[in-house]
Amino acid sequence: MSQRVTIEQLADWLRDRDDIVVMGHVSPDGDATGSTLALWHALRAMGKRAVVCLPGGMPLLYAWLSGADQILDTETDTLPFEPKTALAVDVSEYDRLGEAGMKRFDSCLYQGVLDHHKTNEGFGQLFVLDGEAAAVGELAVDLITALGVGMDANMAECLFVAISTDCGNFNYSNTRPQTFIAAARCVEAGASADRITEKLYRTRTLGRTRLLGAVLAGLEVSPDGKVAWARLTDEMLRCCDADKEDSEGIINYLIEMIGVKVAVLAIERQEGTKLSLRSKTPFNVARDVAVPLGGGGHDCAAGVLLAMPLEEALQKTLAMAREAVDKTTAEMINA
Ligand code: AMP
Ligand code: MN
Ligand code: MN
């Protein structure tokens, strides 16, 4: 049975722990990478033995973050010590740790979770969950403060990345006053908003640019213009000389189209097909599409991995997306 606790209680608990593995979710994004890395920096600043593990290792997109080269691959790397404590960060459910991550988490005597996904039902022995936080990075700023660690420029940069990437650089509706406050504290501690946002949003490789073109060339929209979808195959990655992380952000082009309420990007994966889902309020892709299919996420940004070939997975998801759009549209008319 896991116990829901406050950030202060998690800090007290962490203070008594050592030999810690900080873990993120599969397909680690900016929040998972930045938040785990910042907490790893903080735990080490406290004199603790700690490692940071992400499934697949360091995401290339964030290779420039300080300490990124220290990120171990949950799946393939041997840890330098046997961890006693696991801290899962930005992991909305146990499965999202990945196969190897779940084993590693289970092998730890102490298990904590720090998360912000409303769909998180809680796992581990104790968990902090703030479904209103735009990013775990927001909560990690508070956790580092509660731990009594002075935030240095390295932690600040990682946390600014975590916060900025999860709230669309302070554009999405999840952005709240605390999001700006947390980001301001990062800037105060030495994070450069200009340098970071240039790296994140104003530079891209040739491969990434080509991939965007290839995916958008196959864009489809329903006759009423409310559902948009596209496919991203291994073949496209090869042709464009792109990396699988280069898919990040492409879905925005789909949901940003005028009239589109729900967007679906189907991405070919070794294990099946990853569906990236986005919606405009009040359309809710987490509740109406991702969760019923076994995935999760946020109201307007969710995902699921289906063990099916791309086309089958896409059609199944599109059928649910269609139903969700019709249901919510009807509710809006009747309201
Ligand atoms: P993405 O489309 O990969 O950017 O994911 C959007 C959101 O959906 C993320 O914040 C994740 O929390 C959630 N998500 C993505 N994939 C999955 C999955 N396979 N299972 C549960 N939640 C997911
Ligand atoms: Mn995440
Ligand atoms: Mn997050």
Side-chain angles (χ1 to χ4, degrees), residues 25 29 31-32 90 96 116-117 166:
H25 59 73
D29 52 13
D31 192 23
D90 197 37
R96 296 265 295 154
H116 72 126
H117 295 85
D166 253 23

Side-chain angles (χ1 to χ4, degrees), residues 303-318:
V304 61
L305 183 73
L306 295 179
M308 300 172 192
L310 186 141
E311 211 49 47
E312 188 185 341
L314 177 61
Q315 294 312 324
K316 191 179 170 84
T317 308
L318 284 177

Side-chain angles (χ1 to χ4, degrees), residues 33 37 58-69 71 199 245:
T33 308
L37 206 49
M58 173 191 76
L60 294 174
L61 281 176
Y62 308 109
W64 49 276
L65 283 174
S66 156
D69 56 340
I71 296 175
K199 292 246 188 227
E245 293 168 28

Side-chain angles (χ1 to χ4, degrees), residues 92-174:
S92 57
E93 55 190 296
Y94 174 65
D95 288 8
R96 296 265 295 154
L97 285 165
E99 248 356 282
M102 290 189 272
K103 277 204 195 103
R104 175 55 71 196
F105 191 82
D106 288 344
S107 76
C108 291
L109 189 57
Y110 305 103
Q111 305 159 338
V113 174
L114 178 67
D115 191 36
H116 72 126
H117 295 85
K118 282 198 188 93
T119 53
N120 195 331
E121 290 172 355
F123 61 98
Q125 288 148 8
L126 79 179
F127 69 103
V128 167
L129 177 65
D130 181 350
E132 297 303 314
V136 166
E138 241 185 63
L139 308 176
V141 169
D142 290 340
L143 179 59
I144 287 172
T145 308
L147 284 169
V149 181
M151 205 201 300
D152 65 18
N154 291 334
M155 298 175 210
E157 184 172 73
C158 293
L159 290 173
F160 192 96
V161 166
I163 295 165
S164 164
T165 52
D166 253 23
C167 67
N169 202 28
F170 312 98
N171 282 202
Y172 298 161
S173 62
N174 61 0

Side-chain angles (χ1 to χ4, degrees), residues 124-275:
Q125 288 148 8
L126 79 179
F127 69 103
V128 167
L129 177 65
D130 181 350
E132 297 303 314
V136 166
E138 241 185 63
L139 308 176
V141 169
D142 290 340
L143 179 59
I144 287 172
T145 308
L147 284 169
V149 181
M151 205 201 300
D152 65 18
N154 291 334
M155 298 175 210
E157 184 172 73
C158 293
L159 290 173
F160 192 96
V161 166
I163 295 165
S164 164
T165 52
D166 253 23
C167 67
N169 202 28
F170 312 98
N171 282 202
Y172 298 161
S173 62
N174 61 0
T175 307
R176 57 177 185 168
Q178 289 97 313
T179 316
F180 287 105
I181 291 169
R185 291 179 55 197
C186 295
V187 172
E188 218 165 38
S192 158
D194 173 42
R195 187 183 108 89
I196 294 172
T197 56
E198 172 165 4
K199 292 246 188 227
L200 291 177
Y201 313 115
R202 302 194 301 275
T203 18
R204 62 194 67 77
T205 59
L206 175 61
R208 192 182 171 102
T209 310
R210 282 194 175 130
L211 184 67
L212 174 63
V215 172
L216 292 184
L219 165 70
E220 294 187 57
V221 179
S222 61
D224 66 354
K226 290 186 178 172
V227 184
W229 64 94
R231 302 163 179 84
L232 197 166
T233 62
D234 285 341
E235 175 67 16
M236 287 177 183
L237 289 181
R238 259 196 311 276
C239 285
C240 299
D241 193 23
D243 188 85
K244 67 178 175 43
E245 293 168 28
D246 290 329
S247 65
E248 217 175 282
I250 295 182
I251 182 114
N252 294 338
Y253 288 87
L254 274 56
I255 193 65
E256 284 167 10
M257 278 187 292
I258 292 169
V260 171
K261 308 300 181 194
V262 169
V264 181
L265 179 64
I267 306 171
E268 202 175 348
R269 284 280 166 80
Q270 226 166 20
E271 324 83 274
T273 305
K274 156 82 189 273
L275 287 311

